[in-house]
Amino acid sequence: MQQTGSQILFTALKEENVDTLFGYPGGCVMDIYDELFRQEIRHILVRHEQGAIHAADGYARASGRVGVCLVTSGPGATNTVTGIANAYMDSIPVVVLTGQVPTAMIGNDGFQEVDITGITRTCTKHNFLVRNIGDLHRTVREAFQIARSGRPGPVLVDLPKDVIQSVTEAELPRTVVPPAEEGRPDLEGLCTEALKMLLQAKKPLIIVGGGVILGKASEVFRAFVKKFRIPVVSTLMGLGAFPASDPLWTGMLGMHGAYSANMAVSHCDLLIAVGVRFDDRATSKVEAFAPHAKIIHIDIDPVSIDRIVRTDLAIVSHCTPALDTLHRLSDEQGLTLPERQIRAWLNQLRQWKAEMPLSYCRNQNIKPQYVIEKLHQLTQGRAIIATEVGQHQMWAAQFYRFDEPNAFLTSGGLGTMGFGLPAAIGAQVACPDRIVVDVAGDGSIQMNIQELGTIAHYGLPVKVVILNNLYLGMIRQWQELFYGRRYSQSDMTQAPDFVKLAEAYGIKGLRATKPEEVKRVLQEGLETPGPVVMDFHVEPEENVFPMVKPGTPLTEMAFGNVRAVA
Amino acid sequence: MPVQFKERAISVIVNNRPDVLARIAGTFSARGFNIESISANITRNPAVTKIIITTLTTPETITNVIKQLNRLIDVLEARRLRRPQAVCREMILARIPLTKERQESLRELIDTRGGKTVSLEPGSAVLEFTGDKEDLEEILTRLEALGMEDFSRTGVIALERSKS
Ligand SMILES: Cc1ncc(C[n+]2csc(CCOP(=O)(O)OP(=O)(O)O)c2C)c(N)n1
């Protein structure tokens, strides 16, 4: 049977069970779009290619499946670069299909030609330029395999126009056997060693990271933790892997971490880190990180072992088999941590939590933290929360007490303003029955505001909560604290009327300017079918606390005007 | 403890693809490491290339670089080559003007250092020497003294003395 490159591409996508493409057409992908016209696959037409890649990323984070985006050559491809780097930093499996000029013209600086494989070499897990139609099917399948295996990440496939247009008689291979993930024959030995260390600990602590969510290991993680009653702290990316409503929950650690979490890390005698890479926002001053602890590090990526924090025991493995083995071995040998061995430690943690819970002071203005608290209440903690980057992101992390994995979609590694809105689109497409909220700042929301058009186009019921402080708040906070209150270029007073802007897109817009309006606006926004933009005029100069100044130990937290309760 | 910067050798077996060298070079440059020398050629299997890279690093960084190289999809294997278990060699080609008065010393150098004359033109010869880094440094000094016009030096190639 004769097949075109476009047809082969769609065959491969179908074999990978792709149900949605996020994309934008252009000259070099006209043939793919023409074929798409005949295909069943869903295509979400975004308003900017950065929106497409972030939406594919949000789709992947919310669903645990590979997100796919399709863009044209040249500017279409370069518009995805920020999003690719974003997915790379957070290890999100996405496949980016880019158009390319015909192979014979590559290197001639032709119209809309860029060397996108060259540009993205250092921010993709891998990329391909397909030079022959004979390689097309295998390459696309391989791209998916690479994107989701091991430590996941973005993979780009560059598709020259002639390869897509050409026709072949050749049979496609029936199946592509994915290369086996190599087993870890020594997993039992390492886990036995880890359990030995755990049984000796008087102050054990676990850090959970994004790897547990990516590795779909939350359930076995919870079981293991509960069995030994080990207190849990989380990185930003790990939020939701362990329920914030559990008594063992000790909070998020790091620069804006909870007092209890940063104290716990700084005083524990055994630290088990699962699926974390020790980002500097989490560790702060590395030399002062977990100074009294033996460290066990479980991670799929050997590169993250001993890179920043020296470990006493490294277990290079997917989180699920490692935690499974730990759990099974301890069952078989009837191992537990005796109550009296860790009683003092658990009491200490309880005390830290009570002494200095996350809190804020109320006044006549809307406090952004209050909006998040109310949002949590009204959604019963069940919403998928995407965020932009800034103060609002930290407040969402602190005050939306996540109980479930794949529910907090945030740009942790790259810190990309403009991520949240398109990511929420992807999440809503992946999970049509969930409440999906983009928690945004007035600055960030303007970075991909055009995606309101996409939301309106498809009637996606995404709720946008803008914590509008008329500042680039996080920048202003640093300027207030570290730059003598010189608010250089962080003033955003000249903002659009977000309610009118929403309405211009055909989206409902709501506004609250006083604390007593918050609940009503949220309620109305959440109950209204379809998309809603909610503009909350919040306390302009509210700061995120606690705060650890970069480069100082985690114990050196500033609390601003929030006083200890005890 | 002083940081131990030393030249260390890595063997990298890769798929013979157009962009694989760029990826490897990128792994070094993105971390701010310099490649001191590199040599590459196909193996028994022409789809597979063996690359020997030397770099000036500390033991920690070399471990990290090797892990990063192993993470590249087209890298089949990256590992350290340690001396003395591995032998290392480089080669130089040197062009020397031929003069009567230097003939004796040139002859002596070729004989004692296992050199070869690979080209002989009236008034000019190209000589070939192989050896480890130290050998070649010394030979080059001698050649300079003999009025060497130009030379070309390969990267290090290396092989373990026995199967490990
Ligand atoms: C694309 C991009 N540009 C610049 C920054 C630097 N930056 C970090 S937070 C921030 C301010 C964000 O302001 P806003 O979205 O209003 O959120 P707020 O901090 O006020 O909640 C800026 C400019 C960034 N993270 N991303």
Side-chain angles (χ1 to χ4, degrees):
Chain A
M1 193 186 65
Q2 282 208 338
Q3 287 201 83
T4 63
S6 303
Q7 287 169 331
I8 292 172
L9 172 63
F10 281 101
T11 304
L13 294 178
K14 254 182 253 161
E15 287 166 358
E16 291 293 343
N17 295 315
V18 174
D19 56 14
T20 310
L21 298 175
F22 299 91
Y24 207 88
C28 281
V29 287
M30 295 291 283
D31 297 275
I32 300 176
Y33 274 87
D34 191 51
E35 183 58 36
L36 175 72
F37 204 72
R38 285 184 280 272
Q39 297 276 344
E40 306 272 278
I41 210 163
R42 183 173 190 192
H43 180 276
I44 302 290
L45 176 65
V46 293
R47 297 309 191 250
H48 185 300
E49 288 89 352
Q50 189 184 354
I53 176 74
H54 287 326
D57 176 323
Y59 175 98
R61 289 182 204 235
S63 68
R65 303 175 51 201
V66 180
V68 189
C69 102
L70 168 62
V71 298
T72 193
S73 66
T78 51
N79 271 348
T80 65
V81 172
T82 300
I84 293 173
N86 186 73
Y88 185 66
M89 290 288 274
D90 287 346
S91 310
I92 305 302
V94 290
V95 167
V96 183
L97 305 168
T98 51
Q100 182 55 281
V101 300
T103 42
M105 288 173 57
I106 290 177
N108 290 354
D109 287 346
F111 179 62
Q112 294 195 332
E113 178 190 352
V114 295
D115 173 14
I116 196 64
T117 48
I119 288 173
T120 59
R121 195 166 285 137
T122 54
C123 63
T124 49
K125 187 172 172 192
H126 195 60
N127 59 26
F128 297 95
L129 168 62
V130 182
R131 290 180 175 275
N132 300 298
I133 189 167
D135 296 333
L136 179 59
H137 181 260
R138 183 187 47 75
T139 304
V140 175
R141 294 296 302 272
E142 209 179 320
F144 279 84
Q145 164 64 19
I146 292 170
R148 69 174 154 249
S149 63
R151 177 177 178 171
V155 179
L156 182 141
V157 185
D158 203 16
L159 302 165
K161 189 163 179 162
D162 57 323
V163 173
I164 286 302
Q165 284 176 329
S166 59
V167 174
T168 177
E169 294 277 356
E171 283 277 316
L172 296 182
R174 272 278 156 65
T175 46
V176 179
V177 187
E181 303 238 340
E182 63 260 47
R184 294 276 312 175
D186 52 345
L187 203 50
E188 292 222 347
L190 291 167
C191 287
T192 306
E193 187 62 30
L195 287 169
K196 222 183 273 169
M197 289 165 76
L198 176 59
L199 291 185
Q200 281 161 13
K202 293 195 175 65
K203 302 175 182 177
L205 185 72
I206 287 202
I207 307 187
V208 59
V212 169
I213 296 174
L214 290 164
K216 305 184 172 86
S218 308
E219 217 165 293
V220 47
F221 177 81
R222 290 168 186 212
F224 175 71
V225 166
K226 294 234 166 111
K227 170 159 213 218
F228 285 94
R229 280 168 303 123
I230 314 169
V232 178
V233 300
S234 174
T235 66
L236 182 73
M237 299 308 290
L239 291 176
F242 189 78
S245 54
D246 192 285
L248 289 170
W249 171 251
T250 310
M252 177 174 82
L253 87 161
M255 177 181 278
H256 294 298
Y259 174 72
S260 49
N262 287 345
M263 292 301 277
V265 172
S266 305
H267 290 85
C268 63
D269 67 358
L270 176 74
L271 187 62
I272 308 178
V274 193
V276 309
R277 64 180 175 86
F278 295 110
D279 182 81
D280 53 275
R281 283 288 190 269
T283 61
S284 207
K285 183 178 182 171
V286 175
E287 299 76 37
F289 181 75
H292 311 294
K294 285 216 154 43
I295 297 180
I296 300 173
H297 191 181
I298 304 174
D299 199 83
I300 183 63
D301 184 6
V303 172
S304 46
I305 306 280
D306 280 336
R307 185 189 211 176
I308 292 161
V309 169
R310 276 211 173 267
T311 54
D312 297 279
L313 179 68
I315 304 182
V316 178
S317 161
H318 268 300
C319 298
T320 304
L323 290 164
D324 264 339
T325 309
L326 283 169
H327 202 262
R328 182 173 50 76
L329 289 177
S330 58
D331 268 353
E332 284 169 9
Q333 298 164 26
L335 306 176
T336 48
L337 269 176
E339 160 78 31
R340 73 195 124 69
Q341 185 173 328
I342 52 170
R343 190 186 301 143
W345 175 236
L346 294 179
N347 282 339
Q348 171 71 78
L349 288 172
R350 225 167 282 134
Q351 195 187 331
W352 280 330
K353 277 200 266 186
E355 232 168 65
M356 200 70 99
L358 290 171
S359 65
Y360 58 94
C361 301
R362 303 194 182 208
N363 61 16
Q364 74 294 348
N365 290 329
I366 299 178
K367 286 301 178 104
Q369 302 93 328
Y370 174 71
V371 179
I372 305 291
E373 275 183 345
K374 275 284 161 249
L375 179 66
H376 179 261
Q377 214 177 59
L378 293 171
T379 54
Q380 281 124 37
R382 307 287 297 278
I384 293 176
I385 305 290
T387 75
E388 310 289 341
V389 171
Q391 294 180 309
H392 61 277
Q393 175 189 29
M394 292 300 122
W395 286 317
Q398 291 178 333
F399 290 91
Y400 197 93
R401 305 173 52 82
F402 290 90
D403 278 340
E404 293 303 324
N406 305 96
F408 183 49
L409 320 183
T410 203
S411 171
L414 197 64
T416 313
M417 293 170 70
F419 168 77
L421 185 58
I425 292 177
Q428 190 75 77
V429 168
C431 310
D433 301 326
R434 297 281 296 273
I435 298 173
V436 179
V437 182
D438 174 32
V439 173
D442 50 303
S444 298
I445 193 66
Q446 296 184 64
M447 281 224 178
N448 274 317
I449 191 88
Q450 76 287 345
E451 297 308 325
L452 286 177
T454 310
I455 286 173
H457 179 160
Y458 296 95
L460 296 169
V462 169
K463 315 294 180 190
V464 182
V465 167
I466 304 176
L467 301 179
N468 187 347
N469 53 16
L470 297 176
Y471 279 113
L472 296 174
M474 189 56 96
I475 301 297
R476 189 208 52 74
Q477 174 168 347
W478 282 53
Q479 289 169 337
E480 177 186 334
L481 300 177
F482 310 130
Y483 293 90
R485 289 184 155 268
R486 291 180 297 279
Y487 292 171
S488 175
Q489 304 299 313
S490 54
D491 189 307
M492 281 259 140
T493 318
Q494 190 47 260
D497 179 328
F498 289 111
V499 171
K500 282 196 189 140
L501 186 64
E503 285 165 1
Y505 277 103
I507 292 173
K508 188 179 182 93
L510 299 169
R511 173 171 298 130
T513 55
K514 294 201 235 24
E516 52 278 20
E517 296 166 356
V518 169
K519 188 170 173 204
R520 182 184 53 73
V521 164
L522 278 172
Q523 238 160 4
E524 186 180 347
L526 291 167
E527 279 163 16
T528 306
V532 181
V533 171
M534 292 166 257
D535 181 22
F536 295 91
H537 287 199
V538 298
E539 178 74 50
E541 300 203 15
E542 186 72 12
N543 286 331
V544 183
F545 288 116
M547 178 168 196
V548 179
K549 192 175 171 177
T552 64
L554 283 176
T555 42
E556 289 178 24
M557 286 167 268
F559 297 94
N561 46 4
V562 184
R563 289 279 156 262
V565 181
Chain B
M1 207 178 68
V3 195
Q4 299 179 318
F5 277 94
K6 244 175 70 182
E7 190 164 282
R8 296 164 210 274
I10 313 173
S11 151
V12 196
I13 315 282
V14 301
N15 288 323
N16 185 5
R17 299 220 175 123
D19 53 359
V20 73
L21 257 184
R23 287 180 201 281
I24 289 175
T27 304
F28 280 80
S29 65
R31 309 292 172 306
F33 309 140
N34 197 19
I35 291 178
E36 292 297 319
S37 91
I38 184 163
S39 72
N41 217 326
I42 55 170
T43 58
R44 279 200 190 110
N45 175 354
V48 171
T49 298
K50 183 177 199 171
I51 307 175
I52 307 290
I53 294 171
T54 63
T55 172
L56 213 54
T57 54
T58 62
E60 291 79 34
T61 23
I62 195 100
T63 312
N64 194 263
V65 170
I66 287 176
K67 284 188 199 170
Q68 306 230 18
L69 289 172
N70 275 312
R71 195 159 70 169
L72 296 177
I73 302 294
D74 280 328
V75 168
L76 307 174
E77 180 202 75
R79 66 194 166 87
R80 238 179 109 174
L81 291 172
R82 291 166 195 275
R83 272 160 285 198
Q85 293 95 310
V87 284
C88 296
R89 282 290 179 277
E90 304 170 28
M91 180 173 118
I92 48 173
L93 294 175
R95 191 171 62 239
I96 305 281
L98 293 177
T99 58
K100 270 258 146 39
E101 55 277 21
R102 288 177 182 152
Q103 207 173 356
E104 247 337 275
S105 348
L106 203 54
R107 192 66 286 141
E108 194 255 1
L109 181 62
I110 292 173
D111 288 345
T112 56
R113 293 311 193 128
K116 258 199 247 164
T117 311
V118 288
S119 157
L120 194 59
E121 307 263 311
S124 161
V126 174
L127 309 179
E128 172 192 311
F129 292 90
T130 62
D132 63 20
K133 201 174 188 62
E134 291 73 33
D135 292 338
L136 290 190
E137 294 296 341
E138 198 206 312
I139 292 168
L140 279 172
T141 320
R142 304 257 317 258
L143 288 168
E144 290 287 7
L146 293 170
M148 175 172 68
E149 288 173 355
D150 199 2
F151 73 97
S152 175
R153 180 172 179 175
T154 65
V156 174
I157 57 170
L159 196 66
E160 273 139 350
R161 291 171 199 271
S162 58
K163 258 191 181 167
S164 49

